[in-house]
Amino acid sequence: MEFYIKREDQIHPFVSGNKYRKLKYNLLEAKNKQKTTLLTFGGAFSNHIAATAAAGNEFNFKTIGVIRGEELVDKVVENPTLAFAKANGMQLHFISRGQYNQKELQPFIKQLRNQFGDFYLVPEGGTNPLAIKGCEEILTKEDAFFDYICVPVGTGGTMAGLINSSLPHQRIIGFSALKGDFLEKKISQITSKSNWEITDQFSFGGYAKVDETLINFMNNFKSSNNIPLDPLYTGKMVFGIFELAKTGFFSKNSRILAIHTGGLQGIQGMNLQLKKRNLPLIEI
């Protein structure tokens, strides 16, 4: 078995990995529609919020981040992700979790337009048809060499793009950061291909949940390979690949490509949480 990592995290210092891919065509569409403001959604340590703020700052868009959790309004300074977004010019708008659950409903979107004026809407996590189009560009002709393409899964857009651009001999393995099978249903609606599967076996209990086993694995991997992993997505994926390899999941002599989707900005915030729990810190 041969194992490789595609360093999508090195595309851009702040708009890295799949966030660059997802925003690429959305920013072009916003320009074409002569929109000057981007509005999007995210949580306290959202990679997407940080990337949208940085992209807006670089490409001259005003940005508005609708943030889940009213209790965060007075904690921006102590939150590395939100502080970064604000420093890049993003206007932060904090709402309750109940309101946040309405983020895809038209009455709520209309309310936001009444409040903030005209804007180009980027969904939570950035996933929409234009984002999938961007993620289809992750795989190149050279990647035909690989038998398995492994990717972390959050909203499903990156995996959908990989499935669309994959070759018949390739199998796409998604490592879900969340518990449940709803992502399988979502991706089934996006693609007609069947050369893929998703496992939540290595979600460590759900989104943003980590333990000492995962932290130690990530730190050892970085020490051995000089490749940092993030605790929400790529860390869980690589841990899962190694565990599956032990069970003989991958065919003999197979070649595996793991997509590093970025997200390293979230390590600093996660370490603040780990310190409170007296757990080891993630090496940056």
Side-chain angles (χ1 to χ4, degrees):
M1 187 182 90
E2 297 178 40
F3 176 62
Y4 299 78
I5 293 183
K6 189 164 190 133
R7 297 293 304 274
E8 289 280 291
D9 59 305
Q10 296 183 325
I11 290 177
H12 186 281
F14 304 117
V15 191
S16 72
N18 62 342
K19 301 310 175 190
Y20 174 92
R21 303 290 187 178
K22 289 181 175 183
L23 285 170
K24 176 181 175 180
Y25 289 109
N26 275 290
L27 294 184
L28 289 173
E29 181 70 5
K31 288 283 189 185
N32 290 338
K33 291 186 173 181
Q34 298 184 320
K35 304 288 188 180
T36 58
T37 301
L38 309 174
L39 182 143
T40 196
F41 303 87
F45 301 104
S46 168
N47 296 320
H48 174 66
I49 286 291
T52 303
N57 187 35
E58 184 165 336
F59 297 105
N60 300 312
F61 287 99
K62 295 178 183 177
T63 54
I64 300 167
V66 181
I67 308 300
R68 181 180 64 246
E70 293 173 306
E71 73 279 1
L72 297 168
V73 66
D74 297 320
K75 299 179 179 179
V76 173
V77 175
E78 59 192 74
N79 180 300
T81 300
L82 298 180
F84 174 84
K86 185 176 181 180
N88 276 269
M90 177 172 275
Q91 179 180 349
L92 302 175
H93 176 58
F94 298 90
I95 60 174
S96 68
R97 283 162 171 74
Q99 287 178 299
Y100 195 84
N101 290 335
Q102 303 175 45
K103 62 185 178 295
E104 296 179 3
L105 302 180
Q106 286 307 310
F108 184 61
I109 301 299
K110 184 178 179 181
Q111 181 182 324
L112 291 173
R113 293 195 189 281
N114 290 337
Q115 183 172 356
F116 295 109
D118 189 31
F119 54 75
Y120 181 86
L121 178 64
V122 182
E124 179 186 40
T127 291
N128 61 13
L130 289 174
I132 294 171
K133 178 182 177 181
C135 290
E136 289 173 358
E137 298 177 352
I138 293 174
L139 294 180
T140 64
K141 291 179 180 179
E142 289 75 19
D143 296 325
F145 170 80
F146 297 101
D147 306 298
Y148 295 91
I149 312 296
C150 297
V151 63
V153 187
T155 57
T158 305
M159 183 170 183
L162 291 169
I163 293 168
N164 288 346
S165 59
S166 65
L167 297 172
H169 73 276
Q170 296 177 320
R171 187 152 189 85
I172 313 301
I173 313 295
F175 292 80
S176 179
L178 308 95
K179 293 288 288 183
D181 62 356
F182 62 97
L183 284 168
E184 293 180 351
K185 297 174 184 176
K186 185 175 181 179
I187 291 177
S188 294
Q189 295 170 350
I190 298 173
T191 180
S192 59
K193 290 187 177 182
S194 59
N195 63 331
W196 59 274
E197 63 185 280
I198 297 177
T199 176
D200 66 358
Q201 185 181 348
F202 308 102
S203 67
F204 283 82
Y207 183 71
K209 292 187 177 181
V210 302
D211 63 17
E212 197 163 342
T213 299
L214 179 62
I215 297 166
N216 289 335
F217 173 83
M218 291 170 56
N219 286 340
N220 289 335
F221 186 85
K222 182 178 184 297
S223 177
S224 300
N225 303 284
N226 197 30
I227 300 176
L229 304 172
D230 87 286
L232 305 188
Y233 295 103
T234 56
K236 294 180 178 182
M237 170 189 65
V238 176
F239 179 90
I241 292 170
F242 279 42
E243 290 299 304
L244 289 178
K246 293 176 186 176
T247 68
F249 175 87
F250 300 104
S251 303
K252 188 178 180 181
N253 300 323
S254 59
R255 292 166 293 212
I256 301 165
L257 178 66
I259 309 299
H260 195 314
T261 53
L264 299 177
Q265 69 83 28
I267 294 177
Q268 191 176 356
M270 177 61 77
N271 276 343
L272 293 177
Q273 302 299 316
L274 295 175
K275 192 173 183 179
K276 292 177 183 177
R277 294 166 55 192
N278 294 315
L279 288 172
L281 301 186
I282 301 165
E283 296 176 9
I284 301 176

